[in-house]
Amino acid sequence: MATVALVTEGRAKRRTPKHHRLTLALPYLIPAVVLYGWFLLYPMLDAVRLSFFEWSGFRIQEPVWVGFDNYVRLFTQDAVFWTAFGNSVVWVILSLILPTGIALILALGLNRKMVGRNLMRAVFYIPAVFASITVAAMWRWIYNPTLGFVNQFLEAVGLGAWTQSWLGDPQFALGSIFIANIWQAVGFSMVLFLAGLQTVPVELIEAAKLDGANAWQRFRAVTVPALRPTTIVVIILTIINSLKVFDLVVGMTGGGPAQSTQVLALWSYTQSFTNHQFGMGGAVATVLLIVTLALVIPYMAWSMKGEDR
Amino acid sequence: MHTKRILGAVGLAATAVTVLAGCSGAGGGSDSDELVIWMPTQEDTQGTAINALIDEFEKQNDGVTIKLEQRSVDEHKTALRQVAGTDAGPDIYWYWEGSGLGGELVDAGMSLDLTDYYDEYGWEDRFTAASMSGITQYGGFNGVPWSQQGEGIYYNKKLFDQAGITTPPTTYDELAEAAQKLKDAGITPIEFGGTVNWDVMRLLDSLIETECGADVADELNMGDGDWGAEECVTAAFSELKKWGDEYFNEGYLGINNDDAAQLFFSGEAAMSLEGTWYNAQVVDNGMNPDDIGIVVFPTGTGRLYGFGEAFYINAASGKADLAAQFLDFGTSTEGQEIVGSAWAALSVNKDVAVDDSNPLNGIWADLFGQADGGYTNNDQNFSTAETTEYWRIQNSVLTGAIDPADAGAEFQRFRDSQ
């Protein structure tokens, strides 16, 4: 018993400095925690709570508990939900392949010593600093069926038969928005990859060269493993940014034509703040949250396991 | 020292919480001489006009201040829902009069019945009959009319001549014939911007009125009519599809109304289905108003398409008398002359002369005079969720994703599920 008491006392003594540091830090953390809780955590949890209610947004009207009815309606009766879901999934998959791949290729290219390297880095990065709604406005003009650059260019080079209503035809609209997304998203991932490439040990590259490894072998066996932490960050950010895509779609098509470019984040907003069906909006937001966590958490867990190894 | 730090930090946190708590309140100034007005964000000319009106009222009423708060359309609608029935709202709010919008707030008890003020100020004698219909439609007197918008077909006389159209269409068949002649002459018959949905909706609403007649259309739009059971609904959607395929500007679903309107202003499109606010826009965009004609959409019912906008006094406001005083000033001859035609070509005050500096204003005066009642845009008749679905179906018919024969039934299924 005395031994236990001594051990406890010893542990308590060892813990004191940490505990003390926490006490000191706590007051400084409180404002941030309050803001985080108020503006992020509470709305998120409230959206989940609302998904089990029917509520039209009138403060005087008590939300009515409907259990899983909103989810049932969403999955079985909402004519737009599955389109939005499918579009979000396609957006994530394409984002992981195209902008990410292009960003890696650009980063590898611009990591070499060449004339105008910094200028080109800046040029490729600039779209990333534009607000998405600005990008949307620019590309809306580029795709304008009569005055836009794309159709006028096609006419000028004798490909008038290829001109389209790029944002007005459900067959092309989502793809057309995605091209604008590639233009905007590539720069950010490129910068991350460029930063990651600075961490690739030059000695290892040189050693691989001496061992007779060709460029592809050096890339696969040295560069790719060294880029692993950067790749994890790029992939997680890409998944998150893809699932929450909103501004570009709002600015270019508003989800149309006929809801064909609708995505989950925008449909959640539309259900809540345009249709005033806050329960349905909360249900869409909850599905989006679950999909995001389902994609990000396993990937993070898997990649961290790799780190440990 | 540590205690001081902790106290300082806790104080900071407390301040943050206090600020946050302060942010959650809205509207309703505590000052007894302050009126709070909520409106959607206004265009430049309208913003200038309302501010001039407020300045003049404040000048004439010493000590009174008016605080104007403007939000985007969606934000405005949402904010009003959040404050309905509470004391956090404005004293006066601006809203559309249709049953799906203004009517919803009347049902929620947010609008003060102004019968006493109508008696006190003699407002019934002040306003035009057309503008009063939206005020009395829910029983009593809800709101004070602010603008009455008529919508019809603006046409380019030169392009009509070029296509061999000698008289403006007075029947739907003549309108369709005119569109075909324009197309044959290589002219875009009519322009629409599909991304905003409500632009093309004007044609669909008018086609429903044309194909179904006034009574059935009213039952469908505002009553319990069955969209899946009426043959005329299929006919209306079929005509819509035909117009979209044959007569609209190329790529209309990919551009908004402002971009589409450029085709009319530049003389590329011969017709535009717009409202009284368009009179100023065509002039601002360099067109000679003498080259433009206006006809009502020839539905055959004699009713004029359009909608009204009103200022309502919040039932929870403790300053209804002052609010009524402001609205009396705003809709008086003096007030209406200050705002001019910033909102509509014609004033809701029947004593205010038509501004003949733009000849198109006089045309609207005649069209209102000839109209046998009116029918309203469906995005005002329907609930907001129904409107979103109506637009989806409208656009799905246009893109070919939904057959016109299935459109009515699909919309009715949605209505039944609500």
Side-chain angles (χ1 to χ4, degrees):
Chain A
M1 192 68 188
T3 316
V4 173
L6 276 174
V7 169
T8 312
E9 194 182 13
R11 277 182 189 161
K13 274 182 183 166
R14 279 200 300 278
R15 266 206 320 264
T16 306
K18 274 188 185 174
H19 179 72
H20 195 58
R21 279 204 298 274
L22 181 64
T23 311
L24 281 177
L26 206 54
Y28 296 97
L29 288 174
I30 284 174
V33 170
V34 168
L35 291 172
Y36 177 83
W38 187 270
F39 287 112
L40 286 171
L41 207 57
Y42 168 68
M44 200 164 72
L45 295 176
D46 198 48
V48 176
R49 183 189 67 83
L50 265 180
S51 72
F52 298 104
F53 289 85
E54 187 178 299
W55 188 49
S56 64
F58 280 107
R59 205 158 136 188
I60 45 168
Q61 184 198 64
E62 279 297 309
V64 178
W65 170 263
V66 293
F68 284 94
D69 278 8
N70 287 326
Y71 291 94
V72 172
R73 273 180 67 193
L74 204 63
F75 296 142
T76 61
Q77 293 174 28
D78 189 325
V80 181
F81 172 73
W82 287 112
T83 304
F85 187 88
N87 287 344
S88 290
V89 170
V90 166
W91 195 278
V92 172
I93 293 168
L94 289 179
S95 295
L96 288 172
I97 298 168
L98 291 173
T100 309
I102 294 169
L104 180 60
I105 291 167
L106 283 175
L108 290 169
L110 294 174
N111 197 40
R112 293 162 179 268
K113 285 180 181 161
M114 64 170 90
V115 178
R117 184 173 71 165
N118 288 339
L119 177 69
M120 281 201 279
R121 284 179 178 180
V123 166
F124 285 117
Y125 182 68
I126 280 173
V129 303
F130 292 160
S132 294
I133 204 72
T134 312
V135 174
M138 285 166 54
W139 280 84
R140 210 174 59 217
W141 267 109
I142 289 170
Y143 286 130
N144 186 292
T146 46
L147 307 167
F149 169 78
V150 177
N151 279 357
Q152 290 205 344
F153 175 77
L154 289 171
E155 295 275 4
V157 297
L159 295 172
W162 288 16
T163 58
Q164 297 291 340
S165 171
W166 299 102
L167 299 176
D169 186 330
Q171 273 190 305
F172 298 103
L174 189 69
S176 301
I177 304 171
F178 190 77
I179 288 172
N181 175 57
I182 293 176
W183 183 78
Q184 188 190 22
V186 156
F188 183 66
S189 299
M190 180 196 76
V191 167
L192 291 179
F193 278 128
L194 272 172
L197 285 171
Q198 311 312 310
T199 65
V200 179
V202 181
E203 317 83 65
L204 283 184
I205 297 278
E206 294 301 323
K209 269 185 191 171
L210 288 173
D211 287 345
N214 61 29
W216 169 247
Q217 287 168 327
R218 290 198 300 276
F219 173 71
R220 205 187 57 181
V222 180
T223 309
V224 169
L227 274 182
R228 185 186 171 95
T230 309
T231 309
I232 292 167
V233 171
V234 169
I235 286 178
I236 288 174
L237 289 179
T238 302
I239 291 172
I240 293 170
N241 287 333
S242 304
L243 283 170
K244 69 179 190 186
V245 62
F246 180 90
D247 322 37
L248 267 185
V249 181
V250 170
M252 290 178 75
T253 61
Q259 307 288 10
S260 62
T261 58
Q262 195 57 261
V263 288
L264 286 176
L266 177 56
W267 189 233
S268 171
Y269 174 87
T270 305
Q271 285 282 25
S272 295
F273 297 103
T274 303
N275 295 352
H276 299 116
Q277 297 190 328
F278 286 85
M280 292 289 278
V284 180
T286 305
V287 170
L288 181 58
L289 178 68
I290 291 169
V291 170
T292 308
L293 294 178
L295 285 175
V296 172
I297 290 178
Y299 183 74
M300 280 177 78
W302 172 78
S303 53
M304 281 171 179
K305 217 186 223 176
E307 289 271 288
D308 293 343
R309 277 201 306 270
Chain B
M1 185 66 184
H2 288 157
T3 313
K4 271 186 183 175
R5 278 182 188 168
I6 290 167
L7 284 174
V10 169
L12 195 65
T15 308
V17 172
T18 310
V19 168
L20 288 172
C23 286
S24 63
S30 55
D31 188 338
S32 62
D33 286 334
E34 182 185 82
L35 277 181
V36 176
I37 301 176
W38 285 8
M39 293 181 87
T41 306
Q42 301 295 301
E43 288 175 11
D44 289 348
T45 49
Q46 294 165 343
T48 306
I50 191 73
N51 282 319
L53 188 74
I54 288 170
D55 289 346
E56 185 58 31
F57 184 74
E58 286 176 343
K59 204 164 83 183
Q60 292 184 16
N61 295 272
D62 200 24
V64 174
T65 54
I66 295 181
K67 189 176 164 194
L68 178 67
E69 294 181 14
Q70 299 183 64
R71 294 176 177 80
S72 70
V73 170
D74 277 354
E75 283 293 311
H76 181 65
K77 290 176 181 172
T78 303
L80 285 171
R81 281 168 177 260
Q82 287 168 348
V83 299
T86 75
D87 60 2
D91 301 297
I92 297 172
Y93 62 95
W94 184 101
Y95 222 47
W96 301 269
E97 294 167 356
S99 55
L101 297 172
E104 197 175 35
L105 293 183
V106 171
D107 288 344
M110 187 163 183
S111 165
L112 181 70
D113 184 346
L114 304 181
T115 302
D116 291 345
Y117 294 114
Y118 270 78
D119 290 342
E120 183 183 340
Y121 290 106
W123 283 342
E124 263 192 284
D125 297 329
R126 171 180 293 180
F127 300 114
T128 61
S131 65
M132 279 305 293
S133 62
I135 300 300
T136 53
Q137 63 183 319
Y138 307 113
F141 291 86
N142 284 284
V144 172
W146 185 246
S147 61
Q148 184 63 36
Q149 310 284 8
E151 293 159 280
I153 294 173
Y154 286 69
Y155 64 94
N156 183 320
K157 291 177 184 171
K158 287 181 178 170
L159 293 181
F160 265 42
D161 284 347
Q162 208 176 308
I165 304 163
T166 49
T167 53
T170 54
T171 65
Y172 180 67
D173 288 343
E174 285 177 13
L175 177 66
E177 196 182 318
Q180 187 59 48
K181 280 185 180 172
L182 288 159
K183 186 184 176 188
D184 293 343
I187 299 163
T188 300
I190 191 164
E191 54 83 3
F192 284 102
T195 59
V196 291
N197 301 307
W198 40 257
D199 202 18
V200 177
M201 181 199 70
R202 292 176 188 149
L203 179 62
L204 177 57
D205 291 349
S206 300
L207 289 170
I208 286 167
E209 175 86 359
T210 306
E211 297 293 342
C212 298
D215 292 340
V216 175
D218 281 349
E219 267 305 298
L220 291 170
N221 299 335
M222 296 183 290
D224 296 326
D226 186 342
W227 284 71
E230 298 288 350
E231 288 288 325
C232 63
V233 171
T234 299
F237 276 106
S238 299
E239 286 300 303
L240 176 73
K241 174 76 172 148
K242 183 180 170 191
W243 277 85
D245 290 348
E246 303 284 333
Y247 305 132
F248 285 9
N249 46 301
E250 194 187 331
Y252 64 94
L253 278 172
I255 59 173
N256 65 24
N257 60 313
D258 290 332
D259 295 344
Q262 295 304 321
L263 299 172
F264 185 74
F265 302 146
S266 63
E268 288 175 63
M271 294 187 280
S272 190
L273 181 41
E274 287 285 351
T276 38
W277 59 85
Y278 210 51
N279 293 3
Q281 289 183 24
V282 290
V283 174
D284 290 347
N285 282 278
M287 292 188 87
N288 181 348
D290 293 329
D291 293 337
I292 296 167
I294 307 170
V295 290
V296 296
F297 194 96
T299 59
T301 65
R303 302 201 297 182
L304 180 65
Y305 187 45
F307 58 92
E309 298 150 335
F311 275 114
Y312 297 82
I313 296 180
N314 185 354
S317 168
K319 301 168 197 167
D321 289 347
L322 185 59
Q325 194 187 333
F326 173 72
L327 294 180
D328 181 61
F329 175 72
T331 55
S332 66
T333 306
E334 184 188 358
Q336 288 291 287
E337 280 169 355
I338 291 171
V339 299
S341 53
W343 277 270
L346 306 177
S347 172
V348 290
N349 183 326
K350 56 189 175 194
D351 295 330
V352 175
V354 176
D355 174 10
D356 57 7
S357 63
N358 184 332
L360 298 175
N361 295 343
I363 297 177
W364 273 115
D366 294 340
L367 294 177
F368 271 104
Q370 293 157 11
D372 183 14
Y375 64 105
T376 303
N377 301 43
N378 269 336
D379 59 350
Q380 293 208 27
N381 291 322
F382 296 152
S383 70
T384 45
E386 285 173 339
T387 297
T388 301
E389 180 66 356
Y390 185 61
W391 288 341
R392 184 188 72 83
I393 291 169
Q394 158 197 300
N395 292 335
S396 295
V397 166
L398 287 165
T399 59
I402 293 179
D403 190 285
D406 299 330
E410 183 133 353
F411 186 53
Q412 187 60 40
R413 264 198 300 279
F414 181 83
R415 295 190 101 183
D416 292 342
S417 73
Q418 294 297 295

